[in-house]
Each structure stands twice: as C-alpha cells, then as structure tokens.
Amino acid sequence: MKLIQARGISRRAILRGALYGAGAATMASVLAACSTPAAPSAPGAAATTAPAASTNAGALKIGLLSGFSGPYAAFGPDMASSMDVYLDQHNGMIGGLKPTVIQEDEGATPQDALLKARKLVEQDRVNVLMGLVSSANALAVRDLLDGSKTPTIITNAGADDITGAKRSPYIVRVSFSSWQQGAPSGKWAFQQGWKNVMAFAPDYAAGYEQLAGFADAFAQAGGTVSEKVFPPLGNSDYAPFLGKIKAGNPDAVWAFFAGADAIKFVQQYAQFVGDSIPLFGNILSRNAANAIGKTIQVVKMGSTGWEETIDNPLNQTYVADFIKKTNRHNDYGEYTYDAMMLLDKVLTDLKGDTNGDKLAQALNGVASFQSIRGEVKIDPDSHGLIQTYYHTAPVVDSDKVTVKVVGTLGVFGPTKQIS
C-alpha cells in the first residue's frame, strides 16, 4: 500500500495508560459519533460540482478522513492500522487493485473537515472516502460528497440524520446510528421482568438519541420509562441525580454515559445505590472496566455492535493481527476494517471498476456480507447497517475484570429492530 500522510501521528495520541486519557478518548468517541449540531455556514460550504475521480484501470485512491490530532486523536491511528491489517492480510490488494491511501486530519470543527474533504475530493480525486469521526463534521461535508458523487463509507459518526433526513445514495455507514446504539437493551430489559425503568443520559444530542432508542424499544416490548434524567455533560457529582432513583423506586436503571462521565457515574452509583436496583445499558466498556476494576460489576449488562470476544474466525484473526501489528488493543478501528472488507467485495464484483456511480450503486446493492461482527446488511433505504447487537457482561478473572460477549440481543437497523 502506498501511503500519503498529511500529518504525522503523535505517539501521545494513542497512549491509553492514564485513567483520564482512557476516559477522554471514549468520551471523544461518543461526542463525535452522536452529537448533531447544525454545521455552520462557511465560505465554500455549498455542494461542489466537481466530478468524482474518474476510472483509471489498476489505480485506486482511498481517502481516510479521520482524527489525528485534538479531541479525536485516538481514532485516526486505529482506523489507519485497521486498514493496514486488512491489506497485510490480502497481499496489499483490494478488489484486484493496489491502493494509495491518503490520510487527512478532519480536525475539531466542521470548517476544518470541509477543507480537508475538499482537498481529498477535488485535488487528490480519491475514488472512495472513508472515516469521519465527528457527526457534526460528517453532516458538514455531506453536500460536498453528495454533489461530487464521491462514494463514501462512514466508519464512526453516528448522527441519526446521516441515515435519515440527510441520507445520500453516495454515503453508506457501516458503524451505527445513535438510535441503533440505544435500542438493543429495550426488549432484553422487559424480558427480565422490569416494567418500570428510569433512564439516565447526558444532556446533549447523543444522550437524547440513544435514550430515545432504548425508550422506543422498551415501550414496544411493553415497558414504561418512568423518568428521563439528563445530567450535564462532563458532570462530576451525580449524587443529586442518583437521589431521584430511591424516590422513583424503579425496577431498574438504564444509563448511557461514556468516558470520564461513565466512570464517575458507575463509581457513584455503586456507592449510593449499589446492587439494590439493577443498572444496565450503554455504560459498559473495556475502558471503564480497566479504570475502576471490580466496581464495574454493578453494571449488570451492556450492549454493543462489536467487541473483541465476538466468537467468529474473522474477528479472532482481526483482533490477533491488530495486536501483533500495533502491540495494543483496538478501540476505534473495527468499523474501518469492515469498510475495507465491503469495498473489497464490491470492487471484486465490479472487476476493479472505480466509476463513482457504479461503485455507490454497488455499495448500496450489497445484500449481505460476512464481517468481523458476523453477517451484516446494508439497508437500501437509509444506507445504514443492519446487524446483530451483542449482550456483554463484566467478567472477573482472578484480580482482573474485563468485558465479554455473553449472548445476542437481536438484529437492528438504523431506526428499528428487525428481529
């Protein structure tokens, strides 16, 4: 693989040893993937009319627009390494072509992302664009990518509008929608006999969208969310909010927090509530388990689209090869690996034809493919992913606590449960 990298990757961007670093990186993930502020107007923000890169037999340019600095600095290295792992496994080829990967830092603002996306599309003339960490950034570049007919595979940004009101036939998302992240624990909760659940999430777009997913699925199963509580993002003292739990006397508590917020919420929940009322939802992660140890056991279940312990040969090989190549565990690159797998399949079917319209049509026409998450499908209406969600639980092994997949929760699309 030929690599053109616009900015060097600082080793500090991928260190995860300190407690705050682990929390901050995960918080950046959720802030990026799920926050949906409107992209500000900026000079040149209108859709471009420049054509996508023309077909050139034997040539393939892939643009990786991701975070290599600032709040999203942990993402780019994992995404780039996952691309490298895939190419290493396939003799440096994808769809019969030897790719050139051009990396750009999407930056912290929509203006930064739009500038770099324009470079990749209009100057570098990439055949395919991958990545995009921040939802605000993804929404900011949407018109450029749609207008230029640039096939794009989003591998993180989770705003519901990307596969909803702002969907484009040239943009496919292989990560998740925020609603899709929240919904899988709804039916499971009702099956536990819990009919009255109190729900907690941070007071910003990600919290609203994920809690809405849980509330929709729980209500459809027959349950009631008795109260929705939205503490401020970056809150340090949850005691006033946790006091609502005993007053409300719910059967259980669902929560979505990430990074430092998740760690603090779980620690304070264990202190003030303990095991008297079950805690579950989108609050269980390896980062949190590593940071707080056995206290993580107060969380009785979690749900996720991917985890290292998903038991299939593709995933086992990916995890092993990623660790061997980087000497670290992956946090944010799994969906980019699946994007490479999808692109390989489509380009192979097209016999290496990189025409933008044909490629976009083929990406949306994939009925299903085997990914590291198991079999997944592209929803032809929303251009989002349909996939199995996994039930995770904390597991104690001697003095070490980790997170493992213990079952499945059903198949979910961007806006509904499929089965």
Side-chain angles (χ1 to χ4, degrees):
M1 175 187 72
K2 183 179 179 183
L3 171 66
I4 302 174
Q5 185 172 341
R7 298 186 183 181
I9 301 172
S10 167
R11 288 294 298 169
R12 289 177 296 174
I14 57 176
L15 291 175
R16 295 175 172 85
L19 169 63
Y20 177 77
T26 308
M27 177 56 72
S29 172
V30 180
L31 283 168
C34 304
S35 64
T36 56
S41 298
T48 181
T49 56
S54 60
T55 301
N56 183 0
L60 173 65
K61 289 184 181 180
I62 302 174
L64 176 60
L65 185 59
S66 185
F68 292 99
S69 67
Y72 312 131
F75 288 81
D78 277 4
M79 290 184 180
S81 294
S82 291
M83 296 176 79
D84 289 342
V85 167
Y86 188 87
L87 291 169
D88 288 348
Q89 294 170 343
H90 296 82
N91 298 315
M93 305 291 283
I94 185 164
L97 305 174
K98 190 173 184 66
T100 297
V101 177
I102 306 171
Q103 295 179 9
E104 288 290 348
D105 187 352
E106 69 180 78
T109 70
Q111 292 93 333
D112 292 337
L114 185 60
L115 180 66
K116 294 301 179 66
R118 280 194 178 281
K119 174 187 176 294
L120 289 170
V121 170
E122 298 174 352
Q123 179 178 326
D124 299 316
R125 301 179 69 81
V126 297
N127 303 101
V128 181
L129 189 141
M130 289 186 187
L132 286 164
V133 176
S134 162
S135 282
N137 290 350
L139 291 171
V141 304
R142 182 267 178 204
D143 288 350
L144 168 71
L145 300 173
D146 181 74
S148 63
K149 300 183 178 181
T150 302
T152 301
I153 308 176
I154 291 179
T155 62
N156 190 77
D160 289 347
D161 275 354
I162 291 171
T163 48
K166 298 291 186 180
R167 65 187 179 275
S168 162
Y170 294 94
I171 301 174
V172 170
R173 178 163 58 192
V174 296
S175 51
F176 49 80
S177 74
S178 295
W179 185 98
Q180 191 175 25
Q181 291 283 86
S185 51
K187 184 177 180 180
W188 178 90
F190 189 77
Q191 291 171 340
Q192 309 314 301
W194 303 334
K195 298 181 180 180
N196 168 28
V197 168
M198 186 177 290
F200 287 71
D203 186 13
Y204 76 117
Y208 310 142
E209 291 184 346
Q210 290 215 25
L211 195 153
F214 168 72
D216 289 349
F218 189 52
Q220 186 175 4
T224 300
V225 174
S226 58
E227 188 172 358
K228 300 174 182 178
V229 184
F230 295 98
L233 185 66
N235 187 56
S236 60
D237 182 10
Y238 290 95
F241 304 100
L242 293 170
K244 294 175 176 287
I245 296 174
K246 291 185 178 180
N249 193 31
D251 298 326
V253 171
W254 179 91
F256 155 62
F257 292 100
D261 283 12
I263 292 166
K264 292 171 186 174
F265 184 86
V266 170
Q267 288 174 323
Q268 292 175 35
Y269 192 98
Q271 180 182 358
F272 292 107
V273 182
D275 288 325
S276 61
I277 298 176
L279 173 64
F280 71 104
N282 292 10
I283 199 166
L284 185 62
S285 70
R286 283 178 177 267
N287 280 337
N290 289 338
I292 65 178
K294 292 185 179 180
T295 300
I296 197 68
Q297 293 177 94
V298 75
V299 184
K300 303 308 176 185
M301 75 83 71
S303 67
T304 185
W306 176 84
E307 217 285 321
E308 278 193 1
T309 57
I310 293 174
D311 187 15
N312 69 61
L314 282 174
N315 190 51
Q316 292 168 349
T317 300
Y318 164 66
V319 170
D321 288 352
F322 187 98
I323 293 172
K324 181 178 179 181
K325 186 174 187 66
T326 65
N327 197 33
R328 69 178 191 270
H329 289 269
N330 164 68
D331 284 334
Y332 308 113
E334 63 273 9
Y335 301 126
T336 304
Y337 184 89
D338 274 354
M340 293 289 282
M341 191 178 301
L342 174 62
L343 181 60
D344 194 358
K345 172 181 172 60
V346 167
L347 281 173
T348 299
D349 291 344
L350 291 173
K351 296 179 171 50
D353 190 343
T354 58
N355 173 270
D357 284 322
K358 291 181 181 178
L359 190 50
Q361 185 176 7
L363 286 169
N364 283 292
V366 172
S368 67
F369 71 99
Q370 290 298 323
S371 82
I372 59 175
R373 293 168 273 178
E375 184 181 12
V376 296
K377 299 179 180 180
I378 302 294
D379 179 21
D381 295 324
S382 70
H383 317 299
L385 207 68
I386 298 171
Q387 72 153 94
T388 297
Y389 267 73
Y390 295 90
H391 175 186
T392 58
V395 177
V396 178
D397 183 6
S398 298
D399 290 331
K400 184 179 179 181
V401 183
T402 187
V403 175
K404 291 186 178 181
V405 169
V406 296
T408 59
L409 296 167
V411 177
F412 291 80
T415 60
K416 64 182 178 181
Q417 182 168 0
I418 308 299
S419 64

